[in-house]
Amino acid sequence: MRTTVAALALALGAFSPSAMALSPDSPPDKIGVMVSILPLAYFAEGVGKGMVEVSVMVPPGGNPHTYEPTPLQLGRLSRAKLYVKVGSGIEFELAWMDKLAALNRSMKICDASKGIALREMEGRRGHGGGAHGQEGEGHDHGAHHGMDPHVWLSPANAAVIVKNIRDALAEADPAHASAYAANARALTAELEQLDGELRRTLAPVRGGTFIVFHPGWGYFAARYGLTQAPIEIGGKEPTGKELAAVVTRARKLGSKTVFASPEFSRKAAEVIAREIGGRVLLIDALAKDYPDNLRRVAAAIAGEAR
């Protein structure tokens, strides 16, 4: 059972001025920024550079569908001036955002997905997924029920996230607003360059399909004219019948690679890989080095999409 906010506040002294003053890990000349996931840390550090101290809630290898923050993280949260949430319906934020905000009521909250059009989550019972995310019920993401929360995986969306972080930092720290604006322009230019690189890498397989366990790559696929065929259906492990349907589809496509995520079980992906005489390859939606990660993913899909 999750620890209550009241108990956490008492244990951490979250509202104690002395606790804030004794912080050993937040330099006094830097803005304390908390983010939910690693890609947001990349964007926040790119906009804030040496003016921010960024901490991440869901660590490397953590699953944002199930992760619970540690006391150390909550202690850092109590000293943060800004929290950058994804805002698109990831389970971690649905479960914890109200509690986190209550632990530090003076902390500003930036909705990183503000201005981004959400897509439907791919996959529904009895269907193997559809083109560009127009299928199915998907996960229950609360206020965004049925919508895909993985907005950051399109560089075009990432540019919107950068703008939102720029504005939030400028509001939290007006003295450095011009520096945040300049950093955001430079980072946006890098994202535009990355988008062009990915488009060129994936152009030969445009219109193709790739097999993936968790349907988290819908924004990426749509950006580059691809279709992801998910194994996981409606947020649940596939039934035997659904596994057989994915195997049949993979054979028809001539696929030899099943893409899986580090934070999810690979059992179903390995079953399908054995059936098609192929392999399982991990691709990480939550890697911090955003450009390098998407280049690796694009290269892998370019060699596999059919």
Side-chain angles (χ1 to χ4, degrees):
M1 180 178 292
R2 290 189 174 94
T3 309
T4 65
V5 173
L8 286 169
L10 288 172
L12 296 169
F15 303 111
S16 166
S18 60
M20 296 175 70
L22 293 173
S23 167
D25 54 2
S26 292
D29 58 337
K30 292 187 177 184
I31 299 295
V33 178
M34 292 291 302
V35 302
S36 293
I37 59 174
L38 287 160
L40 291 185
Y42 179 85
F43 303 136
E45 289 172 355
V47 176
K49 291 195 180 292
M51 297 169 286
V52 299
E53 184 77 12
V54 179
S55 298
V56 183
M57 277 291 179
V58 182
N63 187 335
H65 298 272
T66 58
Y67 187 76
E68 297 187 5
T70 67
L72 176 61
Q73 290 175 314
L74 293 171
R76 289 175 178 165
L77 176 88
S78 73
R79 299 182 291 272
K81 194 167 184 178
L82 175 67
Y83 191 104
V84 182
K85 66 176 184 177
V86 181
S88 55
I90 66 170
E91 279 89 340
F92 172 78
E93 291 175 355
L94 294 177
W96 281 95
M97 203 62 237
D98 289 346
K99 300 178 181 71
L100 300 179
L103 282 173
N104 184 349
R105 296 187 184 279
S106 66
M107 176 178 66
K108 297 181 182 298
I109 297 176
C110 169
D111 182 351
S113 66
K114 180 182 177 182
I116 296 174
L118 299 185
R119 302 170 46 78
E120 291 183 23
M121 192 75 177
E122 293 184 52
R124 65 184 177 194
R125 282 289 159 198
H127 198 290
H132 312 316
Q134 299 308 308
E135 301 287 342
E137 298 170 0
H139 296 253
D140 182 354
H141 293 292
H144 300 303
H145 173 66
M147 308 309 288
D148 184 347
H150 307 85
V151 292
W152 63 92
L153 291 174
S154 159
N157 288 348
V160 177
I161 291 172
V162 166
K163 174 183 176 296
N164 289 330
I165 293 174
R166 176 202 68 192
D167 293 347
L169 281 173
E171 183 181 353
D173 180 24
H176 294 108
S178 60
Y180 296 135
N183 294 341
R185 284 194 297 272
L187 183 52
T188 300
E190 292 175 12
L191 291 170
E192 290 172 351
Q193 180 179 346
L194 173 65
D195 187 42
E197 289 180 32
L198 300 181
R199 194 173 295 278
R200 289 189 292 274
T201 298
L202 293 164
V205 292
R206 186 175 179 84
T209 299
F210 58 98
I211 309 295
V212 63
F213 175 75
H214 181 66
W217 294 88
Y219 294 94
F220 181 90
R223 181 69 181 171
Y224 303 110
L226 299 166
T227 298
Q228 61 174 351
I231 298 170
E232 181 190 69
I233 305 296
K236 299 178 181 179
E237 289 281 342
T239 65
K241 183 177 180 180
E242 288 161 351
L243 274 176
V246 176
V247 169
T248 298
R249 187 175 188 185
R251 286 172 174 164
K252 287 181 178 178
L253 292 168
S255 298
K256 291 297 181 182
T257 300
V258 179
F259 295 100
S261 304
E263 69 272 20
F264 291 101
S265 168
R266 281 173 259 174
K267 186 186 300 184
E270 288 168 351
V271 168
I272 291 172
R274 284 197 300 270
E275 290 295 318
I276 63 175
R279 60 173 180 159
V280 174
L281 184 64
L282 296 181
I283 54 176
D284 189 359
L286 297 169
K288 184 179 178 182
D289 189 337
Y290 185 80
D292 182 65
N293 185 51
L294 289 196
R295 288 185 185 106
R296 291 174 183 271
V297 171
I301 291 175
E304 172 57 23
R306 297 288 186 272

mmCIF file of all heavy atoms in Angstrom, residues 25 82 88 119 220 226 242 282 287:
data_model
loop_
_atom_site.group_PDB
_atom_site.id
_atom_site.type_symbol
_atom_site.label_atom_id
_atom_site.label_comp_id
_atom_site.label_asym_id
_atom_site.label_seq_id
_atom_site.Cartn_x
_atom_site.Cartn_y
_atom_site.Cartn_z
ATOM 1 N N ASP A 25 22.385 18.638 -1.852
ATOM 2 C CA ASP A 25 22.503 18.300 -3.267
ATOM 3 C C ASP A 25 21.826 19.307 -4.189
ATOM 4 O O ASP A 25 21.655 19.056 -5.358
ATOM 5 C CB ASP A 25 21.922 16.904 -3.524
ATOM 6 C CG ASP A 25 20.488 16.784 -3.007
ATOM 7 O OD1 ASP A 25 19.961 17.784 -2.493
ATOM 8 O OD2 ASP A 25 19.926 15.673 -3.118
ATOM 9 N N LEU A 82 10.364 23.856 -9.439
ATOM 10 C CA LEU A 82 9.565 23.546 -10.621
ATOM 11 C C LEU A 82 9.465 22.032 -10.792
ATOM 12 O O LEU A 82 10.457 21.325 -10.605
ATOM 13 C CB LEU A 82 10.210 24.162 -11.866
ATOM 14 C CG LEU A 82 9.563 23.845 -13.225
ATOM 15 C CD1 LEU A 82 8.172 24.464 -13.333
ATOM 16 C CD2 LEU A 82 10.453 24.322 -14.371
ATOM 17 N N SER A 88 0.440 13.755 -20.114
ATOM 18 C CA SER A 88 -0.346 13.089 -21.155
ATOM 19 C C SER A 88 -1.045 11.827 -20.666
ATOM 20 O O SER A 88 -1.673 11.128 -21.456
ATOM 21 C CB SER A 88 0.565 12.749 -22.342
ATOM 22 O OG SER A 88 1.676 11.972 -21.908
ATOM 23 N N ARG A 119 -2.911 11.102 -29.321
ATOM 24 C CA ARG A 119 -3.365 10.066 -30.239
ATOM 25 C C ARG A 119 -4.022 8.941 -29.462
ATOM 26 O O ARG A 119 -3.768 8.760 -28.274
ATOM 27 C CB ARG A 119 -2.157 9.472 -30.989
ATOM 28 C CG ARG A 119 -1.339 10.465 -31.769
ATOM 29 C CD ARG A 119 -0.040 9.814 -32.249
ATOM 30 N NE ARG A 119 -0.303 8.506 -32.829
ATOM 31 C CZ ARG A 119 -0.800 8.351 -34.062
ATOM 32 N NH1 ARG A 119 -1.054 9.394 -34.807
ATOM 33 N NH2 ARG A 119 -1.031 7.150 -34.539
ATOM 34 N N PHE A 220 6.010 8.237 -32.830
ATOM 35 C CA PHE A 220 7.197 8.049 -33.677
ATOM 36 C C PHE A 220 6.787 7.452 -35.017
ATOM 37 O O PHE A 220 7.197 7.938 -36.085
ATOM 38 C CB PHE A 220 8.178 7.127 -32.956
ATOM 39 C CG PHE A 220 9.460 6.864 -33.683
ATOM 40 C CD1 PHE A 220 10.555 7.685 -33.497
ATOM 41 C CD2 PHE A 220 9.586 5.779 -34.555
ATOM 42 C CE1 PHE A 220 11.752 7.442 -34.166
ATOM 43 C CE2 PHE A 220 10.769 5.531 -35.217
ATOM 44 C CZ PHE A 220 11.855 6.367 -35.026
ATOM 45 N N LEU A 226 5.011 5.074 -40.535
ATOM 46 C CA LEU A 226 5.126 3.661 -40.203
ATOM 47 C C LEU A 226 3.917 3.190 -39.399
ATOM 48 O O LEU A 226 3.116 3.999 -38.928
ATOM 49 C CB LEU A 226 6.393 3.414 -39.388
ATOM 50 C CG LEU A 226 7.715 3.761 -40.080
ATOM 51 C CD1 LEU A 226 8.847 3.790 -39.066
ATOM 52 C CD2 LEU A 226 8.012 2.763 -41.189
ATOM 53 N N GLU A 242 -4.297 -14.518 -29.479
ATOM 54 C CA GLU A 242 -3.725 -13.250 -29.939
ATOM 55 C C GLU A 242 -2.251 -13.403 -30.299
ATOM 56 O O GLU A 242 -1.768 -12.794 -31.275
ATOM 57 C CB GLU A 242 -3.930 -12.189 -28.861
ATOM 58 C CG GLU A 242 -5.381 -11.745 -28.744
ATOM 59 C CD GLU A 242 -5.709 -11.066 -27.435
ATOM 60 O OE1 GLU A 242 -4.853 -11.067 -26.516
ATOM 61 O OE2 GLU A 242 -6.827 -10.529 -27.318
ATOM 62 N N LEU A 282 15.763 -4.906 -27.848
ATOM 63 C CA LEU A 282 15.229 -3.916 -26.913
ATOM 64 C C LEU A 282 15.353 -2.508 -27.481
ATOM 65 O O LEU A 282 16.419 -2.116 -27.981
ATOM 66 C CB LEU A 282 15.971 -3.984 -25.578
ATOM 67 C CG LEU A 282 15.828 -5.276 -24.782
ATOM 68 C CD1 LEU A 282 16.594 -5.171 -23.468
ATOM 69 C CD2 LEU A 282 14.370 -5.600 -24.523
ATOM 70 N N ALA A 287 14.974 6.313 -22.534
ATOM 71 C CA ALA A 287 16.403 6.625 -22.463
ATOM 72 C C ALA A 287 16.604 8.132 -22.369
ATOM 73 O O ALA A 287 15.879 8.915 -22.970
ATOM 74 C CB ALA A 287 17.121 6.076 -23.687
#
